[in-house]
Amino acid sequence: MSVSVSASVRRLSAAAAVAAAVVGAVALPAAAADHHPGRDDRARVVIGDVQYDSPGRDDRSKRSLNKEWVDLTNTTRRAVNLDGWTLSDEAGHTYTFWHFRLEGRSTVRVHTGEGRDSRTDVYQGRRNYVWNNDRDTATLRNDRGRFVDDESWGYHDRDRGGDRHGGGDRHGGFRR
């Protein structure tokens, strides 16, 4: 009887080892995908909100220009170095981040006009509006020029089967 018990124990141990190997082989690719040291694609910075039509009269004043903005949000817990990253529109107006670190779980607002940069607000230093009120796309690229995120409004939204702005709301602010 001890021989059959011993054989049964060996068979169960072998089955458990095979099951563990299968589970490990399936789980390893998923876990490994999240743990690539030195890879930037773990950093998730997204365009969270856009105010493309500054409220009030478009008079190109500093105040009016700074009410046109794009929010970038770091969705991870780790800080992301945005040095060399760019934010651009369809016409090629491009803002490049220099010496800027976006802390984990935080947002920076990129204003069109002039002002003093801080941890939560940066300024493009422009004297003209960037984002078209009727249609445009804000595109974020990393320091290698690789696409990170974009946000479109106007004809792009209608092409996708809907109007994000609630039937013609042209104030520009919207949440993803």
Side-chain angles (χ1 to χ4, degrees):
M1 182 157 184
S2 66
V3 173
S4 65
V5 170
S6 176
S8 296
V9 169
R10 273 188 255 142
R11 276 189 232 126
L12 283 173
S13 295
V18 169
V22 168
V23 168
V26 170
L28 181 61
D34 291 336
H35 300 289
H36 289 291
R39 288 190 59 183
D40 289 336
D41 55 342
R42 286 184 301 160
R44 291 288 304 148
V45 178
V46 297
I47 297 173
D49 204 2
V50 178
Q51 178 69 45
Y52 56 80
D53 185 2
S54 63
R57 196 168 148 243
D58 288 348
D59 59 6
R60 291 190 191 165
S61 67
K62 182 178 174 180
R63 181 180 173 131
S64 179
L65 287 168
N66 285 333
K67 287 185 179 180
E68 181 182 83
W69 45 258
V70 175
D71 280 350
L72 303 181
T73 301
N74 178 356
T75 63
T76 69
R77 285 187 237 154
R78 297 180 61 188
V80 176
N81 181 3
L82 296 184
D83 192 36
W85 287 42
T86 60
L87 179 65
S88 60
D89 71 344
E90 289 180 350
H93 300 102
T94 302
Y95 173 75
T96 303
F97 287 88
W98 296 115
H99 309 293
F100 191 85
R101 182 180 173 96
L102 184 57
E103 296 302 320
R105 305 259 189 246
S106 63
T107 297
V108 63
R109 181 163 286 175
V110 182
H111 300 271
T112 297
E114 298 174 330
R116 183 177 209 118
D117 291 349
S118 70
R119 296 175 95 185
T120 58
D121 296 273
V122 296
Y123 298 84
Q124 295 187 44
R126 298 185 185 274
R127 295 182 183 202
N128 289 309
Y129 299 97
V130 171
W131 311 107
N132 294 334
N133 295 348
D134 57 346
R135 61 180 177 254
D136 209 340
T137 300
T139 302
L140 180 65
R141 294 186 181 278
N142 69 14
D143 59 333
R144 295 182 191 123
R146 293 186 182 141
F147 174 85
V148 175
D149 195 20
D150 68 357
E151 188 65 57
S152 297
W153 56 93
Y155 66 89
H156 300 284
D157 291 333
R158 285 190 297 277
D159 292 345
R160 292 182 190 165
D163 182 358
R164 289 188 158 169
H165 309 297
D169 176 15
R170 296 191 29 153
H171 294 307
F174 61 89
R175 187 72 52 198
R176 283 188 116 175

